[in-house]
Amino acid sequence: MSLSFEQVGFQYRGTSIGVHDVSLSLASGELVALIGPSGSGKTTLLRLTAGLISGHSGRIVLDGRDLSGMPVHERHIGMMFQHYALFPHLTVLENVGYGLKMAGVEAGARRKKSQEMLDLVGLGQLAGRRPAQLSGGQQQRVALARALAYSPQALLLDEPLSALDASIRGQLRDQIRQLQQQFGATTLLVTHDQEEALAMADRIALLDQGRVLQYGTPTELYENPLNETVARFVGLSTICTATVCGEGEIDTGYARLRCDTGARAPGEQVKLLVRPEHIEADPPLFAVNRMEGHVTLNRYLGSFNRYDFMPHGAQQPWLGEARSAPADAIAVAPEHIRLLAA
């Protein structure tokens, strides 16, 4: 089922906080992640879609139906909250079947469907337990089973993994994605975790101050950010100012670097963007864009080192990743330098 936002706007009373002229489209079965700083409008957009808040301008359309003014229970939307919102007095099986009960599904069919969903998320043997008897990861899977139990036309996930330990977050992230694809549920995911968004989403919308700064695939946002704000929010990077010297060359003040300058004129101020995996440690002496200096901070992360390298004359370090931190020089190939507007 397709889901679209057409010039949607909403402000909380007496403030400018909310969303402004948001237009997005989700294809049937697509998972779109909403990311951005706190207060950027991510959860507001989710709650507007669910019908938990109302009074927006523009249209939110699900499978051709304008949701404006429609009661929550008529929207056919499943929602999974950050803290799961399981009923403590109900069993796991009863929690999963709660939405089916509200929809008037007969008790026998409800129990059968709920058990099938629990089996699907690997918790069939825990049907008779209470939520307090489950781990955080198990509660998360119960909440997901409940959200999918009545085959919603859209699925809304509000930071579903934020309350979990890092040790199981990756595993459950993959399970959510697999189940979402299996059910073909058109899904809107709110997350503060950029890695989670990159790993799970078909497309990502980056919001800031209620507006969409960029909407595209994870690859597009990471490799071709439209501006510095997007570049800084999606992935790690080195960003510094430079001046175009001429065709194919820029000057950082401490090094002249070769790169694609496009149609930029000599003297134009730009921002240089380099991702850490594109920095070469200890390059050959005559490598293009070689810079000498020293490591100011090194972080051992198991399979690689993430380090800060200060080129001679620089005021800020370059962030790199390599199997071993460099001894005294780095380089970056011209094709891995992206220029943004200053």
Side-chain angles (χ1 to χ4, degrees), residues 23-38:
S23 293
L24 299 170
S25 62
L26 286 72
S28 180
E30 188 175 27
L31 190 154
V32 167
L34 302 177
I35 63 174
S38 297

Side-chain angles (χ1 to χ4, degrees), residues 86-98 118 126-131 133-134 142:
L86 300 178
F87 298 108
H89 62 288
L90 299 181
T91 66
V92 166
L93 188 73
E94 290 167 339
N95 266 283
V96 173
Y98 185 79
L118 284 173
L126 304 181
R129 292 193 182 182
R130 307 284 181 182
Q133 297 173 293
L134 305 182
V142 172

Side-chain angles (χ1 to χ4, degrees), residues 3-23:
L3 174 65
S4 63
F5 300 86
E6 302 171 3
Q7 297 180 306
V8 173
F10 174 84
Q11 283 77 53
Y12 292 97
R13 187 183 303 274
T15 76
S16 61
I17 298 172
V19 292
H20 311 281
D21 197 28
V22 170
S23 293

Side-chain angles (χ1 to χ4, degrees), residues 112-130:
K112 183 174 183 293
K113 180 66 172 180
S114 299
Q115 187 64 54
E116 288 174 354
M117 293 303 303
L118 284 173
D119 291 339
L120 193 62
V121 299
L123 297 177
Q125 73 282 11
L126 304 181
R129 292 193 182 182
R130 307 284 181 182

Side-chain angles (χ1 to χ4, degrees), residues 196-218:
E196 186 177 301
L198 292 170
M200 294 179 68
D202 296 300
R203 286 190 288 174
I204 297 173
L206 174 58
L207 280 72
D208 189 31
Q209 297 182 4
R211 301 186 185 278
V212 177
L213 296 189
Q214 187 168 350
Y215 185 39
T217 66

